[in-house]
Amino acid sequence: MRMKTLANLASDQPGRKRRRGGDDDNFGANDDDWGVYRTVQTGDQSEDEEEEDLGAGLKNIEAQLLQYDTMFTEHNTLEAQSDWTKSLIHAFLRGPRPFDPESQKEAHQIHLNVERIRVPEIVFQPAIAGLDQAGLVEIVADIINQRFASVQDRDALLKDVFLTGGNTLFQGFDERFSRDLRAVLPIEAILSVRRAGDSLNDAWRGAAQWAREPGFAAVSVTREEYSEKGPEYLKEHNRGNPAAV
């Protein structure tokens, strides 16, 4: 808009379209020609003033909508939608509470969102973390249905499924495990699941108790044997799970 005003003031015939190769452009030859800038500066309102008028008009319309339209709330106004602290992305990164950018404590906080669900879910679905392996329930179901051919042995195992380890402390872990395992078992099977009293240290306590038994030396592997033969040799010579297949 401002450039068009300059062009009209500089032209001998304002409003007339100029042709290529037509009139000579001698603007600036006279000192008076530069007065057009003063005319533009003191003439029509600037772009900033136009934006202010538009903003005032929008606020007036929003005020009327707030008064007469029950579906229009403060959250629908341009100011609210333009506020970074009220955006969904801000809530995702900084949480639902107000964020103080000057606070060093808040600047170094880590807000967990979907990670609170995805991290424990890896136990049941390793694929979401890029791991090409079976989940916990799938492994348990394979052991029960494939390696316990006898119905009596299978039922005896299912009557006392024992959960231990730090992962079992996830909220709702027992219910999720029982529900998913129940879905892959025969309908007549009776399932009973219980958790260790000290899930974090229970595995260590069991291993420590086992290490004190007389027969532990016969099934253990020394550091020298492991360094010399490696893990694959131990798997093939009755020291690993493949030996039980």
Side-chain angles (χ1 to χ4, degrees):
M1 187 69 182
R2 185 171 297 178
M3 295 302 297
K4 183 177 180 181
T5 303
L6 286 172
N8 288 333
L9 290 172
S11 175
D12 294 335
Q13 297 178 341
R16 179 183 176 184
K17 294 184 178 180
R18 299 181 61 185
R19 298 179 181 178
R20 294 184 178 179
D23 299 335
D24 294 335
D25 186 4
N26 56 3
F27 176 76
N30 299 323
D31 293 339
D32 295 338
D33 293 341
W34 300 102
V36 297
Y37 291 106
R38 290 191 296 272
T39 303
V40 172
Q41 196 170 26
T42 59
D44 297 336
Q45 61 183 358
S46 64
E47 295 179 1
D48 294 338
E49 292 175 343
E50 292 179 1
E51 292 179 359
E52 290 179 1
D53 291 344
L54 290 175
L58 180 60
K59 288 185 177 181
N60 184 31
I61 294 174
E62 290 178 341
Q64 296 182 38
L65 289 172
L66 289 172
Q67 182 178 359
Y68 299 108
D69 190 350
T70 57
M71 301 297 294
F72 191 85
T73 65
E74 290 289 347
H75 298 288
N76 301 120
T77 62
L78 179 62
E79 183 178 359
Q81 296 183 9
S82 303
D83 188 357
W84 159 250
T85 61
K86 293 182 175 62
S87 66
L88 180 62
I89 298 179
H90 182 274
F92 187 83
L93 294 175
R94 298 298 181 185
R97 292 171 294 277
F99 173 69
D100 182 10
E102 301 297 331
S103 172
Q104 290 297 316
K105 177 182 177 181
E106 295 186 20
H108 291 84
Q109 288 178 345
I110 299 178
H111 291 269
L112 300 179
N113 295 283
V114 296
E115 296 85 359
R116 296 170 56 241
I117 301 173
R118 291 178 65 91
V119 171
E121 184 64 21
I122 294 174
V123 178
F124 298 95
Q125 299 186 64
I128 64 177
L131 302 176
D132 186 16
Q133 62 186 48
L136 176 62
V137 174
E138 188 176 353
I139 294 174
V140 174
D142 178 72
I143 294 174
I144 294 174
N145 294 326
Q146 302 297 329
R147 303 192 182 188
F148 284 82
S150 172
V151 177
Q152 291 76 14
D153 293 341
R154 183 200 67 191
D155 291 344
L157 177 65
L158 292 176
K159 288 180 180 179
D160 188 18
V161 178
F162 185 70
L163 300 179
T164 186
N167 286 339
T168 62
L169 297 177
F170 286 128
Q171 183 178 358
F173 185 93
D174 302 18
E175 293 79 3
R176 169 68 182 278
F177 176 82
S178 300
R179 185 185 71 243
D180 289 3
L181 183 58
R182 175 76 269 179
V184 297
L185 293 176
I187 190 172
E188 70 277 3
I190 299 176
L191 176 63
S192 177
V193 178
R194 63 189 179 98
R195 195 200 316 178
D198 185 6
S199 298
L200 289 177
N201 300 316
D202 191 70
W204 180 88
R205 295 179 187 278
Q209 182 178 354
W210 180 42
R212 291 194 296 267
E213 295 181 359
F216 176 75
V219 296
S220 61
V221 177
T222 64
R223 179 184 293 274
E224 290 75 15
E225 286 181 305
Y226 186 87
S227 299
E228 178 184 354
K229 301 174 182 179
E232 297 302 323
Y233 177 86
L234 300 176
K235 290 180 182 180
E236 296 175 2
H237 291 77
N238 201 26
R239 292 292 188 274
N241 290 335
V245 179

